[in-house]
DNA sequence: GACAATTCGTTAGCCTGCTAACTATTAGCG
DNA sequence: CGCTAATAGTTAGCAGGCTAACGAATTGTC
C-alpha cells in the first residue's frame, strides 16, 4: 500500500492553513477591489517609498515575472505608477498614486482584523513560537537541495 | 504613514514558508514529471481507493473546479482514470492506472526527504507544537467571518 | 407522480505562482 | 575603447487557486 499520511505532514497543515488565510484575506478585501498581493505591494511602498520592481519582488519573496502582472493590474486600476529611473534606464520605480492612499488605511484595518481572527486563542508566547518555528522551516528549505554531488 | 509590519505578521511567515515548501516539493518531483498536487491525488487514492471528485476535493481541501483541471492533466498523462459511477450517473470515480503505481513509490521517498529537510533541527515536540498551532489558526479561519449581522 | 431543491462535474474568467527565453541597458575587465 | 557578463523588465507557456453559472441527474416533498 505504501501509505503516506498527509494528515500527519507539516506540509499538509502548512498548505491548508495558508490557503485559508489567503482566502480570508482576499474575502475581506473584496469591498475595496484589491487582493492580498496588491495590498502587500501597497504595504511595502508605504513603508519604503518608491522601489524598483526587482527590489519589490525581493521584499515580497516572489519572482519578478510574477510581480509584473500584479503591477500591470494595479497600474490599470490606477493604484500605482511606473516611473523610469533617472539614473538607470533599465529600472522602473514603482510609486503609489493619490487614489491608493485612502485604500491603504482600509487595508491596515482589514489586515489587523484578519490577524486577530487568525491568532484568536493564542497567547503572545504561542504566536512568537509559531513564527519562530515557521522561520526555521523556511530557513531549512532555503538551502540548496541535497542534489547528489553538485557538478560545478 | 500608517505602517503595517508584514515581517511581524503570521500571514507573512505562513505565505513564504508554504511557498518555499511547495517549490521544494515540486522541484523534487520534476524527475517524475508530476507536481505536488498530483502527488497528493495519488496519495489519497492509494489510501482510500477509488473516490469521486467531490470526495477527493474534500480530502484535499480545494474546490471541485480546481480539481477538475488537475485531474484533466493527470488523465491526459495516463496517471488516473475517470469511471462513471454505476449507482449515480452524476458521479465519476477516480482510480489510479497501472502506470501510476511505480511513480507512487518514488513519491513516498521524495515526500519523506522533503519532510525531513523541512523539519531539520526541530524536535518531535516542536513539530507537534507547530502542527497544533497551525491547526488552531486553520480552525480560527474556518469560522464564518464576523460579517456584521448575518442577514438570514 | 410531479415539481422544487440539491448535488456532481464542468466551463469560463480572473488572479497568482513558476521557468525559460528575449530585449535593453549597465557593469566589468582586458 | 570594446567585448563579455550580468542585470532589469517583459513575454509566453504551464500549473494551480477562486467564484459564478450551467446542464444533467438525484433527492425531497407535497
Amino acid at each position: 500500500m505504501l501509505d503516506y499520511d498527509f494528515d500527519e505532514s507539516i506540509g499538509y497543515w502548512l498548505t491548508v492553513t495558508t490557503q485559508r488565510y489567503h482566502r480570508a484575506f482576499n474575502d475581506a478585501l473584496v469591498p475595496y477591489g484589491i487582493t492580498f498581493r496588491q495590498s502587500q505591494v501597497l504595504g511595502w511602498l508605504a513603508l519604503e517609498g518608491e522601489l524598483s520592481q526587482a527590489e519589490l519582488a525581493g521584499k515580497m519573496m516572489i519572482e519578478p515575472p510574477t510581480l509584473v502582472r500584479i503591477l500591470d493590474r494595479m497600474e490599470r486600476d490606477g493604484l500605482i505608477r511606473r516611473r523610469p529611473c533617472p539614473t538607470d534606464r533599465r529600472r522602473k520605480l514603482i510609486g503609489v498614486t493619490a487614489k491608493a492612499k485612502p485604500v491603504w488605511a482600509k487595508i491596515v484595518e482589514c489586515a489587523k482584523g484578519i490577524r486577530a481572527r487568525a491568532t484568536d486563542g493564542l497567547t503572545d508566547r504561542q504566536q512568537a513560537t509559531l513564527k519562530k518555528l515557521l522561520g526555521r522551516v523556511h530557513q531549512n528549505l532555503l538551502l540548496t537541495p541535497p542534489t547528489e554531488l553538485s557538478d560545478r
Side-chain angles (χ1 to χ4, degrees), chain A residues 40-140:
Chain A
Q40 211 177 349
V41 168
L42 295 181
W44 282 111
L45 295 178
L47 268 180
E48 310 262 344
E50 278 186 327
L51 290 172
S52 75
Q53 297 189 199
E55 286 164 348
L56 192 49
K59 305 271 187 200
M60 294 172 67
M61 305 278 287
I62 59 179
E63 300 301 319
T66 302
L67 183 57
V68 167
R69 280 180 309 176
I70 296 174
L71 295 180
D72 285 346
R73 284 185 272 271
M74 294 182 76
E75 196 173 32
R76 178 199 67 193
D77 296 343
L79 295 170
I80 55 121
R81 209 175 337 106
R82 279 174 165 113
R83 181 169 77 85
C85 175
T87 64
D88 184 341
R89 281 188 298 172
R90 289 171 307 179
R91 284 154 52 95
K92 296 182 182 171
L93 299 177
I94 310 302
V96 296
T97 63
K99 178 177 174 187
K101 297 211 172 107
V103 178
W104 176 234
K106 301 286 193 181
I107 295 170
V108 173
E109 284 316 303
C110 246
K112 284 180 179 160
I114 299 288
R115 197 202 291 198
R117 225 177 96 206
T119 57
D120 183 47
L122 300 185
T123 65
D124 286 353
R125 239 179 87 77
Q126 286 176 315
Q127 293 181 39
T129 301
L130 178 52
K131 276 188 282 192
K132 199 190 68 183
L133 293 174
L134 286 174
R136 174 64 196 234
V137 172
H138 180 247
Q139 189 62 32
N140 284 344

